[in-house]
Amino acid sequence: MALMPKRVKHRKSQRGRIKGNATRGNRVIYGEFGLQAVEGGWISAQTIEAGRIAAQQYVRGEGRLYIRIFPDKSVTSIPLETRMGKGKGEPDFWAAVVKPGTVLYEVAGISEAAAKICFARLAHKMPVRVRMVRREAI
């Protein structure tokens, strides 16, 4: 696994509920265009990496890609055909908790048409609905 934290405070986290909209990380900061989540959910480290590869192949030389989410939630599972009890289970994969409004990826240095095509490729990989947003002047 490429993306996972070096250290965690607690070994196994609880599921929790995704409620409300993102108040932090909901604006395009680093690039000109961003990919924003419309609904909440978990995005696994494998999915984030697959999106990075798909976008990097398109952006290649002229643009720059920024990833704004990091998988810091461990999702555990007990092996199949195991009897009841014996604890919670080992971490299966790492996921990023995404609220509606969170900016997932950003691109800089490419045109709007190119960004639209790049984010269309990324949207196919994402388990949540997304939309393209533009950087707004403050």
Side-chain angles (χ1 to χ4, degrees):
M1 290 189 174
L3 289 173
M4 62 185 283
K6 289 180 183 168
R7 265 181 274 110
V8 288
K9 196 167 189 177
H10 304 289
R11 197 164 71 92
K12 295 174 185 169
S13 63
Q14 296 183 336
R15 278 183 68 86
R17 276 186 58 208
I18 301 170
K19 55 185 180 182
N21 296 326
T23 55
R24 286 177 273 190
N26 58 355
R27 294 196 183 132
V28 179
I29 303 294
Y30 302 106
E32 287 101 40
F33 305 102
L35 191 70
Q36 187 179 48
V38 178
E39 58 189 22
W42 291 347
I43 300 180
S44 70
Q46 280 186 316
T47 306
I48 296 170
E49 183 67 12
R52 182 194 68 80
I53 292 167
Q56 203 71 49
Q57 286 175 344
Y58 189 78
V59 173
R60 192 70 43 148
E62 68 247 15
R64 181 127 167 77
L65 178 72
Y66 299 95
I67 303 173
R68 296 281 307 274
I69 53 175
F70 184 80
D72 54 0
K73 179 180 184 55
S74 64
V75 180
T76 61
S77 69
I78 296 177
L80 293 174
E81 300 175 11
T82 304
R83 292 185 172 212
M84 295 289 284
K86 307 276 191 285
K88 187 177 179 184
E90 293 303 312
D92 194 25
F93 64 94
W94 292 86
V97 179
V98 173
K99 287 184 171 185
T102 304
V103 175
L104 310 175
Y105 295 90
E106 292 183 18
V107 290
I110 60 174
S111 65
E112 185 174 358
K116 206 170 265 193
I117 295 167
C118 179
F119 286 148
R121 291 179 62 160
L122 268 170
H124 286 294
K125 307 246 183 240
M126 295 296 120
V128 295
R129 286 188 309 137
V130 292
R131 66 178 180 175
M132 182 176 144
V133 290
R134 182 181 285 112
R135 185 180 200 159
E136 48 189 55
I138 296 173

